[in-house]
Amino acid sequence: MKSLLRTLLIIPIASTLIYAQEVNSALERMLKPKVSYESSYMADVTIKGSSGGYEVAKNKLKINNAFLALEYVNQSFIWNDIADLPFGDGVSKPIELLHTIKADIKLPYKVNEELFIINSVSVTSSFESNPEDSYSFGAFSFASYKLDNDHTIQFGAFVNYHPINTTALPMLSYSYRASHQDGFKSVIGFPRTFVGYHLNKHTLVRLGMIYSQSVVKLGDNSVIEKKGYIETKDYMTNVGISSNLTKDLKVELDALYEVQGDINTYDSNGDVQNKYSVDPSFGVNFKVVYTF
């Protein structure tokens, strides 16, 4: 009888300790910081209806874990045929360098084995030379429901408030084997779609498309719009490879193709001044991620 009582007491205690260890291990993984550096280059971006255009180099540094993220991005421009551009003064470089600083907080919550929810809030400042009046505030709520081990659906919405232009977008996708480390995997939806294949558990080849939008505060003496704003919208495709060189170090290399790009300019009051489009262009992107 004493032996039976000891067994009955030990089982729940052991189960509790195992569960606590699993929770602590999961929390430790979520708290681990990651540092990533990303560099991309787009060549011969031409404004439709003119011979003028630009080349742009983009650099991004990000520090994050599952809950917090802080990133800095800069974009530097080389302009071609300035005199034929449909904006600016025909002599000066319209833009030389743009900056973006972003901070966000994510709140992941596991409802049960099938349903997982992420809520997020963020603040972003995108500007040429003066961050004043450059801030935007974003929020999204995103739910992931596991149909089985291979199939998952995701749904939610994203809202970004900016004094110039507030954006609200749906988030809807279907995932096939997205968390697996072998064979095919895919995410089909908006604003991101990709299909990938694992050559082995460390190496993934993939192709995809993503939609992005941003509003940037121009400089006080901008030749495009003094104290105005510029908005960009892009549909970008990529084909590339990613490899986990070690358990902590990951690298990615992609060829880029901008299918569609739009540029809108606003005056300091937020009124639309002009709308432009760019011809399709090619580029390349490199990314390295280190997990501590």
Side-chain angles (χ1 to χ4, degrees):
M1 179 63 71
K2 289 182 179 179
S3 176
L4 178 59
L5 287 174
R6 282 197 298 268
T7 302
L8 291 174
L9 288 171
I10 289 171
I11 289 176
I13 293 172
S15 299
T16 301
L17 290 174
I18 292 171
Y19 176 74
Q21 289 174 349
E22 291 176 349
V23 170
N24 289 335
S25 178
L27 183 59
E28 183 180 351
R29 290 195 301 270
M30 296 176 76
L31 289 174
K32 274 189 174 183
K34 295 180 181 179
V35 175
S36 62
Y37 171 73
E38 192 170 351
S39 181
S40 65
Y41 171 77
M42 297 299 296
D44 298 326
V45 183
T46 304
I47 310 299
K48 284 187 177 180
S50 77
S51 62
Y54 56 87
E55 303 165 33
V56 58
K58 179 178 178 180
N59 295 282
K60 176 179 177 180
L61 181 64
K62 182 176 181 179
I63 302 173
N64 73 289
N65 60 21
F67 303 100
L68 302 171
L70 179 65
E71 65 182 60
Y72 168 72
V73 180
N74 66 46
Q75 299 178 76
S76 58
F77 294 78
I78 298 174
W79 294 88
N80 306 310
D81 294 330
I82 292 176
D84 199 48
L85 289 169
F87 48 78
D89 60 9
V91 178
S92 307
K93 297 176 182 178
I95 299 172
E96 291 194 53
L97 187 65
L98 298 179
H99 309 269
T100 296
I101 301 171
K102 181 180 180 180
D104 69 63
I105 300 173
K106 291 184 175 66
L107 300 173
Y109 177 63
K110 184 177 181 180
V111 180
N112 51 44
E113 291 301 319
E114 290 76 30
L115 183 61
F116 185 78
I117 297 174
I118 297 179
N119 296 307
S120 173
V121 293
S122 64
V123 58
T124 304
S125 175
S126 296
F127 59 95
E128 183 177 10
S129 58
N130 184 358
E132 184 180 359
D133 298 325
S134 70
Y135 296 94
S136 63
F137 302 89
F140 76 75
S141 184
F142 185 73
S144 178
Y145 185 79
K146 185 168 72 173
L147 302 175
D148 55 37
N149 288 333
D150 290 339
H151 306 273
T152 306
I153 57 172
Q154 296 88 25
F155 51 92
F158 169 81
V159 176
N160 188 71
Y161 168 77
H162 193 286
I164 300 305
N165 187 12
T166 296
T167 302
L169 294 171
M171 301 170 68
L172 181 64
S173 61
Y174 156 76
S175 299
Y176 173 68
R177 305 183 79 248
S179 61
H180 290 244
Q181 301 300 313
D182 65 300
F184 282 100
K185 61 169 46 179
S186 65
V187 176
I188 309 299
F190 181 87
R192 175 176 175 258
T193 289
F194 92 93
V195 176
Y197 178 76
H198 279 279
L199 301 178
N200 54 55
K201 67 178 182 178
H202 301 296
T203 305
L204 174 72
V205 292
R206 64 189 188 278
L207 60 89
M209 175 178 285
I210 188 168
Y211 170 80
S212 63
Q213 179 266 355
S214 66
V215 178
V216 181
K217 171 71 183 301
L218 294 172
D220 294 346
N221 297 311
S222 171
V223 296
I224 299 176
E225 286 290 338
K226 290 184 178 181
K227 298 184 180 181
Y229 299 83
I230 187 168
E231 177 187 34
T232 60
K233 300 178 182 179
D234 300 285
Y235 285 92
M236 189 78 70
T237 62
N238 70 286
V239 56
I241 186 169
S242 65
S243 180
N244 295 305
L245 301 182
T246 70
K247 68 181 183 68
D248 300 320
L249 183 63
K250 180 180 181 180
V251 295
E252 302 178 5
L253 182 63
D254 288 270
L256 306 176
Y257 180 67
E258 185 176 31
V259 179
Q260 179 180 332
D262 298 307
I263 300 173
N264 301 327
T265 62
Y266 300 80
D267 64 16
S268 58
N269 296 318
D271 297 321
V272 178
Q273 299 301 294
N274 292 287
K275 295 184 177 184
Y276 310 98
S277 294
V278 300
D279 291 324
S281 58
F282 291 92
V284 64
N285 188 78
F286 172 76
K287 182 178 182 180
V288 57
V289 183
Y290 183 79
T291 302
F292 288 90

